[in-house]
Amino acid sequence: QVQLEESGGGTVQAGESLSLSCVAPGLYSGIGDMKWWRQVPGKEREWVATIGRGGGAKYADFVRDRFTISRGAKNRVNLQLHFTEVGDTGIYYCNIIGAFNEYNYWGPGTQVTVTA
């Protein structure tokens, strides 16, 4: 079992930027999709973005070109949040899936708060 480690959460004012990062210690190969999800107050967890092994990225409609997902080192995934909105407030989770779906790891979540 790999414990994902997230960092970068915090409080920003609407319109400002924030960067999140997630690392999978000891996991250096066989990584497939890397994803970010979030849970905003009063709603269920929702998918935010995915980056595949080849670097192709997909985003939820609500992102509207404001966020960027990227793969750092072999075992790191980042999410840059730009033009943040109060509605982006929530807990953000990273999710790393094995290339053959042999594992599905989640981070503990990092709080993002956007103030008006």
Side-chain angles (χ1 to χ4, degrees), residues 50-67:
T50 297
I51 187 164
R53 294 191 74 180
K58 297 180 180 179
Y59 299 91
D61 289 343
F62 64 78
V63 170
R64 301 194 313 276
D65 296 326
R66 300 181 299 122
F67 299 171

Side-chain angles (χ1 to χ4, degrees), residues 62-78:
F62 64 78
V63 170
R64 301 194 313 276
D65 296 326
R66 300 181 299 122
F67 299 171
T68 302
I69 189 171
S70 62
R71 297 174 84 113
K74 290 182 179 180
N75 60 349
R76 182 176 295 275
V77 59
N78 306 307

Side-chain angles (χ1 to χ4, degrees), residues 37-112:
W37 300 71
R38 73 182 189 182
Q39 186 163 18
V40 301
K43 296 180 66 176
E44 295 191 354
R45 191 176 300 187
E46 59 185 355
W47 168 71
V48 175
T50 297
I51 187 164
R53 294 191 74 180
K58 297 180 180 179
Y59 299 91
D61 289 343
F62 64 78
V63 170
R64 301 194 313 276
D65 296 326
R66 300 181 299 122
F67 299 171
T68 302
I69 189 171
S70 62
R71 297 174 84 113
K74 290 182 179 180
N75 60 349
R76 182 176 295 275
V77 59
N78 306 307
L79 184 70
Q80 292 181 307
L81 288 70
H82 301 294
F83 305 106
T84 53
E85 302 170 353
V86 173
D88 294 324
T89 294
I91 302 173
Y92 284 69
Y93 300 90
C94 68
N95 173 213
I96 295 178
I97 301 169
F100 299 99
N101 295 313
E102 67 270 36
Y103 56 79
N104 188 342
Y105 298 133
W106 289 83
T110 185
Q111 177 70 43
V112 171

Side-chain angles (χ1 to χ4, degrees), residues 7-23:
S7 61
T11 299
V12 295
Q13 287 190 318
E16 294 182 339
S17 298
L18 192 67
S19 294
L20 307 180
S21 187
C22 172
V23 64

